């Protein structure tokens, strides 16, 4: 099952599910993150004057241990809370992503839109979209990508979902960004034609996105769907 930003649990929901030891661990971890955020200088990502440039904040170590202490089913949510509580700067976000496991990378991707990073974390999205791990691809096409990917990169992110069979429901603001996008419609039609020529089925998700590319009519409603190429008729040889 793919995790989405909407499926992340709140602190209240976690407190209701976690046992006493896990809740105590989470309390301490979030307190450390909040303490680090309170000490942060105005320049985001600048280390504290007394901190070693080679040392990671203690909450980053908690980030890696979240699954062990709170359960793997809660790890994404706990890690997301830590990032938000720490007001994680780009330096921390990048370090946690580059040095983390796939699960830790996913948590970073799922939380980017909740951090004050502007478009500076786009290299992490671009890296995830080059991966073959569908969990990372799904996490990469969330709200942060919807807000910051340029049209060319966003179109290729949609195609990546189709290539890797990540449900397009994972793509945030899909309808808004696809509406009236003639170039995306062309790319989808080309992809469908290639699949059809190879005798392979056209994914239903492709038809869904292709329909969304129709420009809105005068009433603001999408116009009629654009048809994907039909499968070739069977021949005597087939």
């Amino acid at each position: 099952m793919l995790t989405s930003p909407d499926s992340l649990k709140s602190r209240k929901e976690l407190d209701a599910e976690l046992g006493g030891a896990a809740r105590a661990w989470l309390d301490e971890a979030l307190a450390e993150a909040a303490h680090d955020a309170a000490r942060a200088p105005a320049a985001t990502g600048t280390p504290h004057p007394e901190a070693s440039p080679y040392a990671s904040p203690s909450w980053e170590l908690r980030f890696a241990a979240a699954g062990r202490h709170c359960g793997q089913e809660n790890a994404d949510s706990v890690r997301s809370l830590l990032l938000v509580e720490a007001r994680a700067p780009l330096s921390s976000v990048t370090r946690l992503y580059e040095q983390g496991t796939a699960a830790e990378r996913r948590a970073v991707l799922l939380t980017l839109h909740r951090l004050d990073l502007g478009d500076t974390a786009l290299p992490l999205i671009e890296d995830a979209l080059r991966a073959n791990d569908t969990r990372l691809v799904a996490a990469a096409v969330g709200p942060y990508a919807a807000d910051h990917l340029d049209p060319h990169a966003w179109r290729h992110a949609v195609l990546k979902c189709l290539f890797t069979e990540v449900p397009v429901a994972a793509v945030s603001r899909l309808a808004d960004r696809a509406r009236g996008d003639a170039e995306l419609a062309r790319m989808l039609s080309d992809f469908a034609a290639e699949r059809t020529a190879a005798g392979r089925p056209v994914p239903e998700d492709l038809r869904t996105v292709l329909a969304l590319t129709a420009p809105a009519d005068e009433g603001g409603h999408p116009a009629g769907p654009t048809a994907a190429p039909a499968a070739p008729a069977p021949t005597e040889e087939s």
Side-chain angles (χ1 to χ4, degrees):
M1 183 176 178
L2 301 176
T3 308
S4 73
D6 291 339
S7 67
L8 294 174
K9 299 171 186 175
S10 67
R11 174 67 188 281
K12 183 177 180 180
E13 290 171 323
L14 285 170
D15 281 346
E17 295 182 18
L18 296 176
R23 282 199 306 273
W25 183 91
L26 180 56
D27 286 343
E28 293 175 2
L30 292 176
E32 290 175 9
H35 179 68
D36 193 68
R39 294 167 58 236
T44 302
T46 303
H48 305 305
E50 69 276 17
S52 164
Y54 305 105
S56 299
S58 59
W59 68 266
E60 291 189 20
L61 302 178
R62 300 272 193 172
F63 184 91
R68 186 163 65 252
H69 289 276
C70 297
Q72 295 301 330
E73 69 278 11
N74 297 314
D76 282 339
S77 300
V78 170
R79 289 172 177 142
S80 182
L81 286 176
L82 282 170
L83 289 167
V84 173
E85 194 70 30
R87 300 201 297 271
L90 181 63
S91 56
S92 288
V93 168
T94 301
R95 181 165 51 245
L96 291 170
Y97 181 88
E98 292 181 345
Q99 298 180 2
T101 63
E104 291 162 24
R105 291 183 173 201
R106 181 178 66 241
V108 169
L109 297 169
L110 291 170
T111 314
L112 289 178
H113 66 293
R114 302 177 65 190
L115 303 173
D116 186 17
L117 297 172
D119 63 0
T120 61
L122 274 176
L124 307 185
I125 296 293
E126 292 163 354
D127 179 83
L129 289 172
R130 289 192 292 268
N132 291 320
D133 188 327
T134 56
R135 297 167 301 173
L136 293 183
V137 174
V141 292
Y144 188 84
D147 290 341
H148 297 291
L149 278 181
D150 64 39
H152 176 78
W154 184 81
R155 293 178 190 120
H156 281 277
V158 173
L159 284 175
K160 178 75 174 192
C161 288
L162 295 172
F163 288 143
T164 57
E165 299 183 353
V166 169
V168 295
V171 182
S172 292
R173 290 177 44 213
L174 175 62
D176 289 341
R177 291 207 56 168
R179 186 171 300 119
D181 191 333
E183 178 61 15
L184 178 60
R186 182 196 65 76
M187 293 168 69
L188 293 170
S189 295
D190 288 349
F191 178 49
E194 291 172 5
R195 300 272 299 191
T196 300
R200 303 177 66 188
V202 175
E204 190 60 35
D205 268 357
L206 185 148
R207 302 179 191 278
T208 297
V209 181
L210 192 58
L212 292 174
T213 62
D217 61 21
E218 293 181 0
H221 304 292
T226 304
T235 65
E236 292 182 2
E237 294 180 354
S238 62

